[in-house]
Amino acid sequence: MCGIVGYIGFRQAPEICLAGLGRLEYRGYDSAGLAVITDNGQLDVRKVVGKIAALRELLQSQPLAGTIGIGHTRWATHGKPSVENSHPHLSCDGRIAVVHNGIIENYQELRSRLEAEGHTFTSQTDTEVMAHLIEKYYDGDLRAAVCRAVRDLQGAFAFGVICADSPGQMVAVRRFSPLVVGLGDGENYIASDMGAIRKETDRVYVIADDEVALLTPDKVELTDLDLNPVDREVFVIPWPADAAEKGGHKHFMHKEIHEQPDAIHACLAGRLSDPDKPIVLEDLNMSEREIKSLRKVVFTACGTAYHAGLVGRFLTEKLARIPAEADLAAELRARDPVVLDNTLCIVISQSGETADTLVALRDMKEKGAKVISVLNVVDSSIARESDGVVYIQAGPEIGVASTKAYTLQILTLELIALHFAEVRGVASPQQLHELKSALLKMPELAQTLLDREEDVKAIAAKYYQKPNALYLGRGINLPSALEGALKMKEISYIHAEGYSAGEMKHGPIALIEPSCFTVAIAVHGEVYDKMIGNIMEIKARSGPLIAVADDGDEQIPVTGVDPQADPDDVAGQPNDMLWVPPVPELVSPVTVAIPLQLLAYHAADMRGEHIDQPRNLAKTVTVE
Ligand code: M6R
């Protein structure tokens, strides 16, 4: 899981590649490197351990110059982060340079073969075999050599390749890992995603598996591995050039939290316009007959997207009355699920490239399920293998911690469940009207919640130094608790656990003491009274408590408060409140998400953490 970028044209490649790599850092950031072909036909390479900023610094003391270059930001899989293991990797003669995203599964076997043939390796990476394979096959035609080399590989990859002996060319190829080619005037680009080169161009080719792109400054040729031409429409990137920049916010995560009112609006547009009209979901690609004959819906995803899937499961059973399951993608295949006729698998992913999710999708398809995906990034690997795709329309999400994508995933799953309920005729017109009306108000409610940011910040200031947190929820807000805890732990490194409040007495209550704070989701609905009980239990054990509750609730702030308690005992303090506008319980995960995102953000910011690039994490996990 890494990011690659490349430039061929008339401008200086290092600057353009560095800027692109900066936008790809979410894919990995333990080391980085660049290779250019110099004006006198040599390959010149710079590599560092660390982030793109470190590479930029190195280039100040040891500049690179050339109008053809490839760059890489790495997230180590084979071989520790080191200069030797950083990309670009070179052939023995130093004339061919390769950058790679993915994993070459048969690299050991290839390496032994190449070593036996006399090739010398300088790194522990799987990638280096590709540089040597191309060297082995190169006879003056770089593209032909790349195609031959790719035939020897097993695994997932996207490569960018340059060769000092073919100085007017760059070759790129992919299988299972994302790759786009950007189109300019007298200059062209390659990148792992569109965001990396959006500043330079809005016209791209999205490369498919086993397709090869030959780039010169003036043209791009697409072929298959047998060099048969491939016809591909130019995709015009629908978002503006500055959409991938921070736009005045301190972090991308903050910007993305604040984009939610507009993003919610965009997600609803064309799908829900009137509480008395049916939901329109043409991209779902399911006939009424198919929807009526559904026997089971299986949700699968990883991380935050899985939490959205848990909300989807709840809605599908509650609203559409279809038996539903939700599995972590990495676990689904392991349990070898029984797939009945008319089973629908709903795959959820922001990136559309998560390897575990892709594997789960393939397994469910093989077992006979129809697969619909709920995605953000357009034309991803998951999109291409799905029977239907519903895009959440969030725009690029750069912060490693998913925020707006989560909110829109839930919103989209609300729309799908309502659509199923409508088509199957299992929900009353009143219920449909009430829920649709609430969803239509979501952009405005999201803005109201953002306007309360200073209140959330004040609560974060009170708690950010505590080492432990417990997030509790029930029913449709159990996933909100799991997601709130994930957000807190991944960016602030506060140890946070999400639990069903019903499980409290079966273990987690043992953790309650003054240094462990609890976030209890206690909005009105079927489980409200039970949440009151949990809050009392926590306060009785001197546990500090933050509650997420509906505006105007007078009970929760004082629930469990003991006026006789010692003034230093939190049992005597009123609860801290994250207020949310009241909405029907079935849509409340959308509103509850926002203050929990802000709480995690401000706690992490106060702790001075790297919010957009938390340690050990990458935005897109393209390896299992
Ligand atoms: O791109 P995806 O939605 O498939 O990614 C799934 C998870 O890797 C992702 O949600 C991860 O858990 C985030 N770091 C959460 O903030």
Side-chain angles (χ1 to χ4, degrees):
M1 178 169 40
C2 306
I4 66 174
V5 72
Y7 173 81
I8 182 164
F10 52 87
R11 291 185 284 158
Q12 282 300 307
E15 213 20 72
I16 295 165
C17 290
L18 272 179
L21 288 177
R23 290 182 210 109
L24 286 176
E25 261 192 327
Y26 72 90
R27 301 182 65 85
Y29 35 80
D30 59 45
S31 46
L34 269 177
V36 298
I37 300 179
T38 61
D39 290 345
N40 59 359
Q42 299 302 312
L43 261 181
D44 207 357
V45 181
R46 302 284 182 272
K47 304 189 203 187
V48 286
V49 174
K51 297 188 177 182
I52 305 305
L55 181 60
R56 192 176 280 284
E57 218 170 279
L58 176 71
L59 288 179
Q60 266 159 18
S61 53
Q62 298 174 38
L64 273 181
T67 55
I68 304 172
I70 49 178
H72 189 267
T73 181
R74 182 168 187 250
W75 189 79
T77 55
H78 294 69
K80 63 180 180 357
S82 67
V83 170
E84 299 73 47
N85 289 335
S86 315
H87 303 214
H89 288 287
L90 303 184
S91 53
C92 298
D93 62 7
R95 306 287 290 165
I96 295 166
V98 169
V99 286
H100 166 219
N101 165 36
I103 289 181
I104 301 171
E105 284 166 6
N106 58 335
Y107 83 101
Q108 287 288 17
E109 175 199 325
L110 291 170
R111 181 172 176 145
S112 309
R113 227 164 64 197
L114 287 158
E115 280 174 337
E117 290 167 11
H119 289 263
T120 306
F121 283 71
T122 55
S123 77
Q124 288 94 50
T125 65
D126 51 341
T127 305
E128 197 183 342
V129 295
M130 184 59 170
H132 294 284
L133 277 175
I134 298 171
E135 179 174 41
K136 170 176 163 175
Y137 295 130
Y138 183 73
D139 61 5
D141 183 341
L142 183 61
R143 175 168 62 178
V146 170
C147 291
R148 275 194 75 181
V150 162
R151 289 188 186 288
D152 291 351
L153 305 182
Q154 286 160 19
F157 47 78
F159 288 105
V161 185
I162 53 177
C163 172
D165 298 317
S166 303
Q169 299 185 342
M170 177 180 301
V171 177
V173 62
R174 69 154 254 168
R175 183 184 295 159
F176 302 139
S177 296
L179 178 68
V180 295
V181 171
L183 306 172
D185 287 327
E187 50 188 354
N188 291 304
Y189 315 81
I190 61 166
S192 293
D193 75 26
M194 301 175 197
I197 49 173
R198 175 63 188 89
K199 262 243 145 93
E200 309 297 339
T201 181
D202 65 351
R203 296 180 305 129
V204 297
Y205 288 134
V206 178
I207 307 302
D209 285 344
D210 286 333
E211 273 179 16
V212 190
L214 173 66
L215 290 80
T216 65
D218 299 313
K219 68 172 196 280
V220 173
E221 279 177 24
L222 300 186
T223 63
D224 62 17
L225 294 181
D226 295 322
L227 302 183
N228 299 309
V230 166
D231 237 9
R232 174 67 32 82
E233 267 187 39
V234 173
F235 179 81
V236 178
I237 305 175
W239 27 276
D242 62 359
E245 296 299 327
K246 283 191 206 138
H249 292 264
K250 188 169 175 190
H251 298 99
F252 280 113
M253 182 184 177
H254 193 255
K255 173 173 175 264
E256 286 153 10
I257 292 173
H258 278 261
E259 284 169 348
Q260 292 182 105
D262 286 349
I264 293 173
H265 188 80
C267 178
L268 294 177
R271 294 168 173 166
L272 172 62
S273 54
D274 184 321
D276 296 315
K277 290 200 178 137
I279 306 268
V280 181
L281 278 177
E282 275 160 10
D283 35 3
L284 194 61
N285 193 23
M286 286 187 80
S287 67
E288 293 208 347
R289 194 183 53 75
E290 273 181 292
I291 294 172
K292 282 184 182 149
S293 53
L294 283 176
R295 291 176 71 192
K296 201 204 260 183
V297 180
V298 180
F299 292 86
T300 191
C302 300
T304 286
Y306 167 69
H307 297 152
L310 291 172
V311 176
R313 175 184 70 177
F314 198 98
L315 292 166
T316 304
E317 296 213 302
K318 199 86 173 167
L319 280 174
R321 306 305 297 152
I322 309 170
E325 295 170 5
D327 272 275
L328 289 163
E331 296 293 333
L332 183 61
R333 195 171 42 161
R335 76 173 168 90
D336 194 10
V338 176
V339 174
L340 307 168
D341 288 348
N342 301 324
T343 293
L344 173 68
C345 177
I346 299 188
V347 164
I348 307 154
S349 174
Q350 188 285 129
S351 61
E353 300 293 347
T354 301
D356 284 315
T357 310
L358 192 55
V359 168
L361 176 160
R362 287 177 181 154
D363 192 49
M364 289 302 280
K365 262 186 113 168
E366 228 173 82
K367 288 187 156 77
K370 174 161 182 148
V371 176
I372 298 295
S373 51
V374 172
L375 304 177
N376 189 31
V377 177
V378 176
D379 220 354
S380 59
S381 305
I382 291 180
R384 277 192 292 279
E385 297 196 25
S386 301
D387 299 308
V389 182
V390 184
Y391 286 109
I392 61 171
Q393 313 287 9
E397 190 179 68
I398 309 288
V400 166
S402 187
T403 51
K404 62 176 178 174
Y406 173 67
T407 310
L408 297 193
Q409 284 161 352
I410 302 172
L411 195 76
T412 307
L413 295 172
E414 298 266 1
L415 295 176
I416 293 175
L418 281 167
H419 178 57
F420 285 176
E422 260 169 0
V423 171
R424 293 166 70 96
V426 290
S428 71
Q430 294 89 316
Q431 188 183 27
L432 291 172
H433 180 93
E434 185 196 26
L435 294 174
K436 287 185 200 170
S437 305
L439 291 178
L440 282 166
K441 280 198 210 115
M442 279 303 165
E444 193 190 313
L445 298 183
Q447 190 54 56
T448 304
L449 287 160
L450 295 173
D451 293 343
R452 299 174 180 179
E453 183 166 9
E454 285 306 310
D455 303 338
V456 183
K457 205 169 161 185
I459 294 178
K462 223 170 135 180
Y463 290 90
Y464 77 98
Q465 283 168 318
K466 295 213 181 280
N468 296 305
L470 206 58
Y471 280 65
L472 300 180
R474 284 172 184 260
I476 197 161
N477 278 306
L478 167 57
S480 308
L482 300 177
E483 174 59 11
L486 176 62
K487 226 60 324 153
M488 183 60 89
K489 78 181 114 191
E490 71 179 330
I491 57 168
S492 75
Y493 316 142
I494 292 174
H495 174 228
E497 295 289 343
Y499 258 98
S500 159
E503 278 286 292
M504 268 291 282
K505 290 197 247 342
H506 303 285
I509 201 164
L511 295 174
I512 303 296
E513 45 93 31
S515 75
C516 174
F517 66 96
T518 300
V519 179
I521 300 159
V523 291
H524 279 101
E526 283 181 16
V527 296
Y528 179 78
D529 291 339
K530 289 202 161 67
M531 285 305 302
I532 299 263
N534 292 117
I535 294 174
M536 306 223 3
E537 287 157 12
I538 291 155
K539 292 292 279 198
R541 286 159 182 82
S542 291
L545 191 117
I546 304 170
V548 182
D550 288 335
D551 290 347
D553 186 321
E554 290 177 1
Q555 190 176 359
I556 301 274
V558 291
T559 294
V561 173
D562 175 7
Q564 312 300 323
D566 183 287
D568 293 335
D569 183 352
V570 290
Q573 323 281 318
N575 298 316
D576 283 303
M577 300 301 299
L578 293 171
W579 294 111
V580 292
V583 291
E585 190 179 19
L586 287 183
V587 299
S588 62
V590 180
T591 46
V592 166
I594 295 173
L596 296 185
Q597 293 166 353
L598 286 171
L599 183 69
Y601 172 80
H602 285 294
D605 194 33
M606 286 166 195
R607 290 166 73 100
E609 304 300 355
H610 289 282
I611 292 185
D612 284 332
Q613 292 168 357
R615 69 182 176 215
N616 307 336
L617 286 175
K619 180 70 179 162
T620 309
V621 185
T622 50
V623 290
E624 282 180 73

